[in-house]
Amino acid sequence: MTDQATAERDYFSDPSVLKDPYDYFEEMFSKGPVHQLQSRDIVMVTGYDEALEVLRNTQDFSSAICVVGAAYPLPFEPRGDDVSEQIKAHRHEIPGSDLLVTYDQPQHPASRSLLNRLFAPSRLKAMEGYMSGLADKLLQDAVARGGCELVKEIAVPYVTYVVADLLGVPAADRDLFRAALDQSAPPGNMNDSEKPTEFSALEYMAGFFVRYVHERRAAPGNDVLSEFATAKYPDGSTPDAMELVRLSTFLFGAGQDTTAKLLGNSMRYIIDTPGLQQQLRTNRALIPAFIEEVLRLEGSSKVTFRVARKKTRVLDTEIPAGKRVVVALAAANRDPRRWEEPKAFKLDRPKIREHLAFGRGAHTCIGAPLARAEVRIMLDRLLEHTSDIGFSEAYHGKPGNRRLDYEPSFIIRGLAQLHLELKAA
Amino acid sequence: MPQLFVTTRKGEERSVEFEPGSTAMQAIYDANFADILALCGGVCSCATCHIYVDPRFVEALPKMSADENDLLEGSSHRNERSRLSCQFRLSPELDGLRVTIAPED
């Protein structure tokens, strides 16, 4: 076969894959929905049913390598058909092992339960006024100037302040958090193979949460932080204070890049899909359906990672214990067996919410309802304050010949910068 | 281990052993019932883990929150036995609980 004669592009370092991962995923899918990559000791899952199966199967797949993927070798040599004990023994040596996404049972459901209440619909509803006011404040200034760089000037501060509000962080500290996050690179950095995922901003913020948790535990009040600080595990036991610190800082890291990039990706569709901007302006009730289709076509997490705990199968393919698996969420969301005309943008797809942009199963993005609300409100306010939104052609060129720079990450899909021209309403 | 009995949308019943402390949704989901989508992962925001609880157990379950009630309001298949399975945890006292997965909305 000619396919085998051509060397496969490397998912983790090839710039052409960064620019258009969908073309690459299509190529991999054509080799099979579960495919052993040529260049790395890793299996890529690009099929919808297959991805769902891996995500659902927490018995056979561990999330321990979720944030570093193939960028780091496993800290052990897999032995035999069950490496559960090896993963357990070496888990702490894998970068990101203190982040909720990398936890496995039984700690994972226990820790996750401490966060559930934060995302209750009534709570998110109560935050909408804050989100809307914050969006107005950020946008009024940008509209007055006639434009902005959406990602850093609007999206990043917006999502950082919203998570701070979610957790009840005192107003005076919120600016400090933003400054710390502004300076850090997103996870899965392709430009720094020594340090593909950097955690220093989160460490800085952890210092604040150590204080919050201890203060609130000593003298609980009625605020969100007090409720969080005194939350108990489902079995009634009290979590270690440091576990709460890890969980709260994790929310900032997890919610920031992903939501900010989703906003950027949404804007690109609004501007470059003919007629769409006007359609949404005429009927803003379409915004939620629009967001779902953007999540499917260009969600902000391209992939997530698992490692096989035991010798297992993904539908027809055998997976040995210790094998690393890249679950290509973005590919599953374009699987032609699941989605009719998968590359087409459509606002009325049946069962659209079954896309895998937020994952599925035990590790489904806990912040998905918040992300949806944040993006919906920001888009609504953007349309409210403007009569037209366009790309700044000085930065991004003309339609059909756009110059767009994507964040150099093998996990995150999103524009590094998005310069907009905003015409006041 | 205690168990619950789950009836699928096709009317087939299967028993599932559960770990006390897990939510009913987790127990059902982990036992691979494809009817339970649980799209939101258990944060009470999607209503795709809607079940009917055996009337004998309705009173034994923890009370419904306003959020759960509101979400169920949005389902055209709600009845007096409706619960979101992600919103209550299984205790040993619930051994033998019978539930039916509600039709898809």
Side-chain angles (χ1 to χ4, degrees), chain A residues 52 56 58-59 105 109 112-113 115-116 119-123 234 351 353-355 359-362 364-366 369, chain B residues 21-23 26 28-34 36-46 67 70-71 86-87 89 104:
Chain A
L52 198 53
R56 282 187 72 117
T58 52
Q59 288 299 313
Q105 283 178 330
R112 190 180 160 106
S113 75
L115 297 176
N116 276 349
F119 297 99
S122 53
R123 193 155 226 168
K351 301 192 179 199
R353 284 171 78 98
E354 293 179 23
H355 62 67
R360 189 73 70 78
T364 302
C365 174
I366 196 168
Chain B
S22 69
T23 65
Q26 284 163 350
I28 301 169
Y29 193 85
D30 287 347
N32 269 315
F33 284 88
I36 286 273
L37 284 174
L39 291 181
C40 82
V43 287
C44 193
S45 85
C46 73
D67 279 325
D70 286 351
L71 265 176
C86 73
Q87 292 303 298
R89 291 185 185 277
E104 191 171 5

Side-chain angles (χ1 to χ4, degrees), chain A residues 155-262:
Chain A
V156 170
Y158 176 66
V159 300
T160 305
Y161 287 123
V162 170
V163 174
D165 190 58
L166 179 82
L167 284 162
V169 170
D173 294 341
R174 296 186 187 187
D175 296 335
L176 299 172
F177 282 31
R178 180 193 163 183
L181 283 168
D182 270 353
Q183 289 163 10
S184 62
N189 189 353
M190 291 166 97
N191 291 344
D192 189 352
S193 58
E194 290 296 303
K195 234 184 163 192
T197 297
E198 205 212 338
F199 305 105
S200 59
L202 298 186
E203 281 161 17
Y204 169 79
M205 282 156 45
F208 287 80
F209 278 94
V210 170
R211 182 160 60 77
Y212 300 149
V213 172
H214 284 113
E215 283 174 1
R216 286 345 184 250
R217 282 190 163 180
N222 286 323
D223 61 337
V224 180
L225 272 173
S226 295
E227 193 185 325
F228 180 65
T230 55
K232 300 255 199 282
Y233 281 132
D235 68 2
S237 63
T238 301
D240 184 69
M242 281 315 288
E243 181 56 17
L244 293 176
V245 171
R246 284 190 284 270
L247 290 173
S248 48
T249 51
F250 165 74
L251 289 182
F252 282 93
Q256 198 213 13
D257 285 314
T258 48
T259 314
K261 297 295 190 268
L262 178 60

Side-chain angles (χ1 to χ4, degrees), chain A residues 32 37 52 81 95 187 193 369 375 400:
Chain A
L37 298 182
L52 198 53
D81 288 343
S193 58
V375 175

